[in-house]
Amino acid sequence: MNTYCQIMSVNAQELVEVRPRLRGNALLLHPLLDGTKEVDEALRLNHVALQPYVEKLGVDSVQAVKFKLETQFEPTDEEILFAEEGVEANINYLRARAVEGDFINQYDSQTKALMAKMFTPSTPPHLASEYSQVAIFSQEMEEARFARILESQTKEAIEIGELGGVKLFLHLIVALVVPWPVCGTLSGLIQRIFIAIDQALGSKLYALSRVRGVPQRSPESFIEVLLQIFNVGMIYVHGVNSDNVRMPQSNRCFTFLADVTKTTRIPVLLSGTSALLYHLQKQPASGSELLRNSYLEISSYSPEESSRVVKSYLEGLPSIIQERFSYKTAAQIFQKSEYQRRLFVSALTAAVVDAMTNRESDAKSQLGAADEELARHKHLLFALSTARSGRPISSQYRERYQAALPLSVKYVDSRRTRGITR
């Protein structure tokens, strides 16, 4: 155990009788937390994924632009809200943790207790309330993309060498982004948490070793202590679906996540498909705690978002394409796709390729290329259009295209109000 604790240990001699008065923003050391980077901008593009596009632009512009369009990410309003409220809860928690009580001495005591195999989470800050938010994605592909981009913005731990005038050595992990385990069990989830911590620290302390002394039957308290030791500001677990959520094996995972925010006040974000919602609704205790806020439905863009989305995609294209492609044309393609990201991108890609390969390309031919691409999805577009208008959908379309239909259409009784209650 000592090996694992060395990285988090503090020089105890320097902390004796030291009671510094920390600033409220003492732990807000990340651009998403200190206000220098807006959440919607952070979620907008996956800069790592776009690097190959930049490198290939001068070699094969057509393929480079196609790759860029397919990897670009423009979040929906609900995705922005999901992340923004999580970051706000993150800020409230870290700020309260810094200023309440004797943070540094408490930290030192906790690391010593951990080294002595005493796994007791420290008292949570009173000014930070319990926070959890559940999001239901209709497309697993979009959920994975959202999680990947959020992780790319927050994954590296911040090393802190001084706080409140005291020299020390600790870490701040802004957000721990954890994929739900395929097995759907608590042991699998804990292993994923170990891996995420290692990735944030750039180390191999936990994932590749057995942590000696950790109680195998009830490791929850040990994990909660680790989350506090590394000043994790938020934990986001994603990827819960019908293939990996199991009763009763998964119940313990949700109980643990509910207890994390209850015991430590660390905000918990959770997302998956409708199977996650069904599972939580059948768990009276942890389910109701995790669903303390109305769940967010994330399925497609709204008509009100069209200007922002179209502008973002066009501004990311090379200037030569922008000269040949009008905003009006892109807006029409967006409307034809019924605001689904996957359909819009495929249709826009076809239209852009037409603009790049044909010198005489105009708005009519570009829309024709988009229509030809969308024709392969005409039945899906019909189902989406029907759902958007509020008309009943036949069982044939409902069963075949339910993954792309809004959650409110599929799972909310027709006598209830459609959409999200928030």
Side-chain angles (χ1 to χ4, degrees), residues 8 114 194 197 206 222-230:
M8 63 185 87
L114 187 63
F194 281 155
I197 290 175
Y206 298 99
F222 174 76
I223 300 301
E224 290 170 355
V225 171
L226 276 189
L227 296 177
Q228 289 182 325
I229 288 290
F230 290 122

Side-chain angles (χ1 to χ4, degrees), residues 306-420:
S306 59
S307 296
R308 172 174 63 84
V309 177
V310 171
K311 181 180 179 181
S312 175
Y313 273 91
L314 285 185
E315 287 180 346
L317 295 174
S319 57
I320 187 173
I321 299 300
Q322 295 186 39
E323 294 171 359
R324 300 184 186 182
F325 215 88
S326 71
Y327 173 86
K328 183 178 180 181
T329 301
Q332 286 181 282
I333 294 174
F334 190 72
Q335 293 169 3
K336 287 174 178 286
S337 71
E338 284 295 335
Y339 306 102
Q340 290 287 318
R341 181 186 283 119
R342 177 171 58 87
L343 299 181
F344 169 60
V345 169
S346 62
L348 181 62
T349 301
V352 166
V353 170
D354 177 81
M356 296 181 71
T357 55
N358 300 318
R359 293 183 178 179
E360 303 301 324
S361 179
D362 54 20
K364 184 176 180 180
S365 65
Q366 292 162 12
L367 285 174
D371 285 336
E372 184 176 346
E373 173 62 29
L374 290 174
R376 300 190 294 110
H377 308 284
K378 62 180 181 180
H379 296 299
L380 171 58
L381 290 170
F382 175 78
L384 290 168
S385 177
T386 301
R388 189 174 297 280
S389 67
R391 290 177 286 132
I393 303 175
S394 69
S395 58
Q396 173 189 0
Y397 290 128
R398 183 184 293 270
E399 293 173 4
R400 186 173 180 182
Y401 301 112
Q402 65 176 1
L405 294 175
L407 183 67
S408 53
V409 173
K410 290 184 291 180
Y411 303 108
V412 177
D413 188 275
S414 59
R415 292 170 293 182
R416 294 174 55 188
T417 303
R418 295 178 64 252
I420 309 170

Side-chain angles (χ1 to χ4, degrees), residues 36-50:
T36 59
K37 194 171 191 178
E38 297 296 330
V39 174
D40 60 337
E41 292 295 331
L43 290 176
R44 188 150 294 173
L45 292 177
N46 187 340
H47 298 286
V48 175
L50 293 183

Side-chain angles (χ1 to χ4, degrees), residues 6-7 24 32 61 103 155 158 181 183 192 208 248 287 293 310 316 329 331 359 368 375:
Q6 284 176 356
I7 194 171
L32 277 175
S61 57
F103 167 74
K155 66 180 180 180
I158 298 172
C183 61
R192 294 293 180 92
L208 299 182
N293 295 312
V310 171
T329 301
R359 293 183 178 179

Side-chain angles (χ1 to χ4, degrees), residues 31-310:
L32 277 175
L33 304 181
D34 65 12
T36 59
K37 194 171 191 178
E38 297 296 330
V39 174
D40 60 337
E41 292 295 331
L43 290 176
R44 188 150 294 173
L45 292 177
N46 187 340
H47 298 286
V48 175
L50 293 183
Q51 189 58 36
Y53 158 75
V54 175
E55 295 173 353
K56 291 176 60 178
L57 186 57
V59 180
D60 187 344
S61 57
V62 175
Q63 290 301 316
V65 170
K66 287 177 64 176
F67 178 83
K68 189 268 179 183
L69 287 172
E70 291 168 358
T71 55
Q72 182 173 346
F73 183 86
E74 179 68 18
T76 65
D77 284 345
E78 287 74 20
E79 287 167 330
I80 294 174
L81 179 65
F82 186 43
E84 277 184 343
E85 293 192 346
V87 169
E88 183 179 354
N90 189 333
I91 291 171
N92 292 338
Y93 165 72
L94 290 175
R95 179 179 289 146
R97 182 165 166 77
V99 300
E100 285 190 32
D102 191 352
F103 167 74
I104 295 181
N105 276 336
Q106 186 181 56
Y107 179 88
D108 182 45
S109 299
Q110 194 172 35
T111 55
K112 291 177 180 177
L114 187 63
M115 295 175 70
K117 303 179 183 179
M118 297 174 61
F119 313 132
T120 304
S122 60
T123 304
H126 296 290
L127 294 179
S129 58
E130 299 175 36
Y131 178 85
S132 62
Q133 180 64 67
V134 174
I136 306 300
F137 286 76
S138 63
Q139 295 286 335
E140 293 179 34
M141 174 180 64
E142 303 300 347
E143 180 194 13
R145 187 178 297 178
F146 173 87
R148 185 174 67 247
I149 294 176
L150 182 61
E151 181 183 30
S152 72
Q153 300 291 335
T154 61
K155 66 180 180 180
E156 293 184 0
I158 298 172
E159 292 187 2
I160 302 176
E162 181 274 334
L163 198 63
V166 178
K167 294 181 179 181
L168 41 72
F169 182 63
L170 57 84
H171 289 88
L172 166 65
I173 299 178
V174 178
L176 207 60
V177 180
V178 181
W180 182 265
V182 175
C183 61
T185 64
L186 180 61
S187 61
L189 179 61
I190 287 177
Q191 184 65 18
R192 294 293 180 92
I193 291 175
F194 281 155
I195 293 173
I197 290 175
D198 272 353
Q199 290 176 339
L201 298 176
S203 66
K204 296 180 180 179
L205 294 179
Y206 298 99
L208 299 182
S209 305
R210 290 187 178 274
V211 183
R212 292 172 294 172
V214 179
Q216 297 299 312
R217 291 186 177 181
S218 55
E220 293 92 332
S221 295
F222 174 76
I223 300 301
E224 290 170 355
V225 171
L226 276 189
L227 296 177
Q228 289 182 325
I229 288 290
F230 290 122
N231 296 294
V232 174
M234 176 174 70
I235 180 170
Y236 170 37
V237 179
H238 65 93
V240 187
N241 57 56
S242 57
D243 293 329
N244 59 35
V245 63
R246 297 175 174 84
M247 292 184 180
Q249 295 98 315
S250 296
N251 293 347
R252 197 175 170 190
C253 293
F254 297 118
T255 300
F256 164 66
L257 291 174
D259 191 64
V260 164
T261 187
K262 183 177 182 179
T263 302
T264 67
R265 298 294 192 270
I266 295 174
V268 172
L269 272 61
L270 182 63
S271 70
T273 66
S274 57
L276 167 62
L277 181 60
Y278 277 152
H279 196 106
L280 291 178
Q281 289 175 338
K282 292 180 180 179
Q283 284 194 270
S286 61
S288 61
E289 291 182 18
L290 292 171
L291 288 168
R292 59 170 53 87
N293 295 312
S294 299
Y295 67 87
L296 284 172
E297 177 185 339
I298 300 177
S299 58
S300 63
Y301 298 110
S302 66
E304 292 74 21
E305 296 176 81
S306 59
S307 296
R308 172 174 63 84
V309 177
V310 171

